[in-house]
Amino acid sequence: VQKLKEPCNIILNVHVLESLLDANALRQVSEFYSIILPENETRKISNIFEDNLLRREAAEWLEKGYQTVSNLYIQGQVKICPIFQKSLPEQNRYAGLLEEEIHCAESWGCTVVCDDRFITSFTQISGKRGRHGDILSTADLLLLLNKHGIINRNVFYEKIDKLLQQNYSYFIPP
């Protein structure tokens, strides 16, 4: 402590910064010393902040989705399709989920909304006892919602833009 000259520059890393923040002392330290943070440390801080922000946004989205689906289920507007496979192999989880969707469509004769290129290359799923289900993509569903006035043109293009930003690129935007 006696080696520090006042005023001087001090270089802090994330761990020291965390200790000072936990002690509510960073502002006081900055009043006596010029704080220097190496660029890689500021990147770490920025990455941690962005990760936490994304986690918070994801948690809020999941909570909103859970509440909405729960309410719709209680009102009888959401139904649960029984499980076809008791467990999905970890390495083929996506394929297993597609199989579950196809099984539900075959059993119930309902439309599948799926963004798998292979699946959407077909127009229909032929099910048991002559039941058929159409196959739509997210873009198809958005187009139908717009066509029926459920979402307006601006919302439609906003959602299409969002799909394109997420590399949803195997359709021709209207």
Side-chain angles (χ1 to χ4, degrees):
V1 173
Q2 293 175 352
K3 293 180 182 178
L4 283 178
K5 302 172 191 165
E6 292 188 32
C8 71
N9 298 327
I10 58 173
I11 297 175
L12 305 180
N13 64 36
V14 171
H15 303 293
V16 175
L17 192 62
E18 184 178 359
S19 296
L20 291 173
L21 285 168
D22 286 347
N24 290 322
L26 184 61
R27 184 169 303 283
Q28 290 82 354
V29 169
S30 72
E31 291 172 5
F32 292 104
Y33 307 104
S34 295
I35 297 172
I36 298 173
L37 298 172
E39 186 177 350
N40 64 341
E41 297 295 310
T42 58
R43 264 192 249 123
K44 281 183 196 174
I45 293 167
S46 178
N47 290 341
I48 291 168
F49 174 77
E50 288 174 15
D51 287 347
N52 286 333
L53 188 61
L54 290 174
R55 280 190 199 107
R56 190 174 334 128
E57 289 173 1
E60 289 170 2
W61 182 86
L62 287 170
E63 182 179 352
K64 180 182 174 185
Y66 175 79
Q67 292 298 326
T68 302
V69 170
S70 295
N71 290 336
L72 291 171
Y73 178 75
I74 289 167
Q75 297 167 10
Q77 294 176 303
V78 169
K79 296 171 181 62
I80 307 296
C81 183
I83 297 172
F84 172 62
Q85 298 179 40
K86 295 300 177 202
S87 66
L88 300 174
E90 194 60 42
Q91 69 274 17
N92 294 325
R93 183 166 295 277
Y94 180 69
L97 291 172
L98 277 174
E99 286 181 44
E100 289 291 327
E101 290 177 355
I102 291 168
H103 172 72
C104 286
E106 288 174 339
S107 300
W108 293 18
C110 54
T111 298
V112 173
V113 179
C114 174
D115 292 322
D116 181 84
R117 291 178 211 202
F118 176 71
I119 300 295
T120 56
S121 67
F122 296 93
T123 58
Q124 233 178 27
I125 294 173
S126 297
K128 298 174 184 170
R129 290 171 255 148
R131 292 183 177 168
H132 297 288
D134 293 328
I135 302 171
L136 300 177
S137 67
T138 301
D140 294 331
L141 184 60
L142 289 170
L143 190 60
L144 281 172
L145 292 173
N146 178 249
K147 181 180 176 182
H148 294 290
I150 297 169
I151 61 172
N152 67 35
R153 194 169 184 78
N154 289 340
V155 171
F156 170 74
Y157 282 111
E158 177 184 309
K159 300 302 178 193
I160 293 294
D161 278 349
K162 188 172 183 177
L163 288 174
L164 291 171
Q165 289 170 8
Q166 296 170 346
N167 293 325
Y168 186 104
S169 57
Y170 47 91
F171 76 108
I172 301 170

